Structures are given as C-alpha cells and as structure tokens.
Amino acid sequence: MPSKLQISRDKPPVTVAMIRQAFPHFDEADFVNLVCEKALYMNCATDMELMSMGSIVKYVPLVLKGSVKVMRQDESGKAVFLYYILSGESCPMTLNACYHHQNSAIKAIVQEPTELLLVPVQVVYEAAKKYVCWQRFAFETFTSRFDQLLQVLENVMFKQLDERLLHYLTDKARALKTPILHISNQQIADELGSSREVISRLIKQFEIKGLLRHEQRGIIEIIEKP
C-alpha cells in the first residue's frame, strides 16, 4: 500500500548545483535562483504516493534522481499505467492541472528511491510568464508525453496483450536501469487492466521463448535487452 507524501520543512536546501546536474537546460540564472529559493527538496521512498486522483495540485515535481510511475485511476480504483517520470523530467498532466487550476487527473507513485524538487504552483505561474528556459521545458514535456500517451492508446486499441505486456516490462526495466523487476503478477495485471491468471500464462510463454526468467515469485528477470 503506497504511503502518502509527507512534506517536511526540515529538508536540505536546494542548490544551484543540484538543479544544474539534472536540468542543465535551465540556463537562466534568475530562474535557477528562484527555484533554489522556493522549491522543496524531497527524498522519497519506494511506493510513496506523490499525487492522488482529485487531489489539489500545490506543487509540480522535478525529478532529480530515480523515477515515478504515473497512472490513471477510475472511481472503482482500477488503474492503468501511463508513463514514467525520470531524472530531468516533470509530469505534463500535473503541469496541465496547474496551468488550468484543476485538481489532479492522475495518480503518481515513486517506484524506487527518488530525489525530487517540489515547485510551488505560484512559482510555476511566474516562470511561465518570465523565463524562456521554463517555457521551452514545459513545451517539450507536453510534446514528448503526448507522443507517449498516443503510444499507450495505440497499445490498448490495436496491440495484443502479450505485446503490451512485453512493452510494459521492458519499459519498466529501462526506467529502473535493471533487468531484475520486483513486481507481482497481480500488480502487472492491475496496471494493464487484465487478470492475474492471464498475465501468469503470458509470462510462462515468455519464459519458454527465452525472453525472461520467473523462477521466484515476485521477481522477473528480463533476458531480452531493454
């Protein structure tokens, strides 16, 4: 069960070096100094919930290290995986909610130990008006994720579940930078909108084909290079 995000004021100060390392394209000193002054640094544990469906958007995340999983969830609690936010990235749907003064339309869960900055929405509004580097970053964020969301739609509409499953596993391995995935068949089924029995059968088929190993419950090793 994901733990809720708890924001503490007793966090290390945000530094220019911290920002430059993950976001070298933030090349306006005034903007970087603004983020240093206003953003909150967070060191997040695996499975921490950063955002829930319908929550008020108070901050926009900038990932320094690690990765965050973004999902869409319906009223019954059924969720579908959308994309990952990696180092040097932010969440376009959170940005969109911020710009339009809307509540969150996504659920975001930390999937490995992750360091990030929480930028207050007022800073985001100011940056959108004044700083070209942020305007460019926001535009590129929307563009790249739009392409990914089209891919998600294409996968759901036109691809068989076995293709979607293999794509999901290799994407996860790529995001985590490891071929060893600690995830249950039930978790996979929940995120792909399927059943545990179907996912288990497909994983067994992938084992026979030599694409992965699943010798221990809750651990999948990708053999095909992600």
Side-chain angles (χ1 to χ4, degrees):
M1 188 75 176
S3 59
K4 293 289 185 178
L5 176 65
Q6 299 292 328
I7 297 176
S8 171
R9 300 293 172 176
D10 300 323
K11 296 292 180 181
V14 179
T15 66
V16 171
M18 184 186 292
I19 298 171
R20 295 287 193 194
Q21 184 174 4
F23 298 88
H25 43 288
F26 287 169
D27 53 7
E28 294 175 77
D30 287 349
F31 171 71
V32 174
N33 290 335
L34 178 66
V35 174
C36 286
E37 179 184 354
K38 301 294 186 180
L40 299 175
Y41 169 84
M42 293 296 299
N43 196 336
C44 304
T46 302
D47 291 332
M48 179 178 288
E49 183 176 291
L50 294 180
M51 191 74 65
S52 59
M53 291 286 297
S55 62
I56 297 172
V57 176
K58 297 180 180 179
Y59 302 91
V60 170
L62 298 178
V63 177
L64 299 171
K65 296 179 182 179
S67 55
V68 177
K69 178 173 58 180
V70 176
M71 298 172 287
R72 176 78 176 186
Q73 191 175 40
D74 64 17
E75 294 179 356
S76 70
K78 184 178 179 181
V80 62
F81 167 76
L82 297 179
Y83 51 79
Y84 295 111
I85 314 171
L86 306 178
S87 174
E89 298 179 345
S90 187
C91 178
M93 297 189 74
T94 302
L95 268 174
N96 183 68
C98 172
Y99 287 151
H100 291 88
H101 305 278
Q102 297 173 340
N103 290 354
S104 173
I106 55 92
K107 181 177 182 179
I109 304 291
V110 174
Q111 66 160 9
E112 62 180 314
T114 294
E115 298 177 42
L116 52 81
L117 301 180
L118 298 178
V119 183
V121 293
Q122 290 301 327
V123 175
V124 174
Y125 298 150
E126 181 178 347
K129 296 176 182 177
K130 293 178 59 176
Y131 299 108
V132 173
C133 67
W134 176 263
Q135 295 166 359
R136 183 171 57 244
F137 172 74
F139 177 77
E140 291 173 353
T141 297
F142 285 126
T143 301
S144 63
R145 296 307 183 188
F146 179 74
D147 291 341
Q148 282 186 301
L149 289 174
L150 284 180
Q151 182 65 53
V152 170
L153 179 62
E154 179 180 321
N155 287 345
V156 172
M157 295 296 294
F158 304 116
K159 290 188 177 181
Q160 298 296 322
L161 183 58
D162 59 343
E163 294 179 275
R164 291 173 55 205
L165 173 58
L166 188 58
H167 182 79
Y168 169 86
L169 293 173
T170 54
D171 260 10
K172 191 173 186 68
R174 187 179 298 111
L176 291 171
K177 299 182 177 64
T178 176
I180 308 296
L181 303 179
H182 295 266
I183 188 169
S184 69
N185 291 356
Q186 185 61 61
Q187 287 175 289
I188 298 170
D190 291 342
E191 294 187 16
L192 293 181
S194 183
S195 68
R196 182 184 58 79
E197 291 77 15
V198 171
I199 295 300
S200 297
R201 185 170 68 249
L202 291 175
I203 287 177
K204 187 63 178 178
Q205 291 176 8
F206 289 160
E207 281 191 282
I208 294 172
K209 293 178 180 179
L211 298 177
L212 55 80
R213 279 190 285 269
H214 188 39
E215 298 173 356
Q216 186 175 346
R217 186 174 181 179
I219 299 178
I220 296 174
E221 180 181 358
I222 307 297
I223 297 175
E224 183 182 63
K225 185 177 179 181

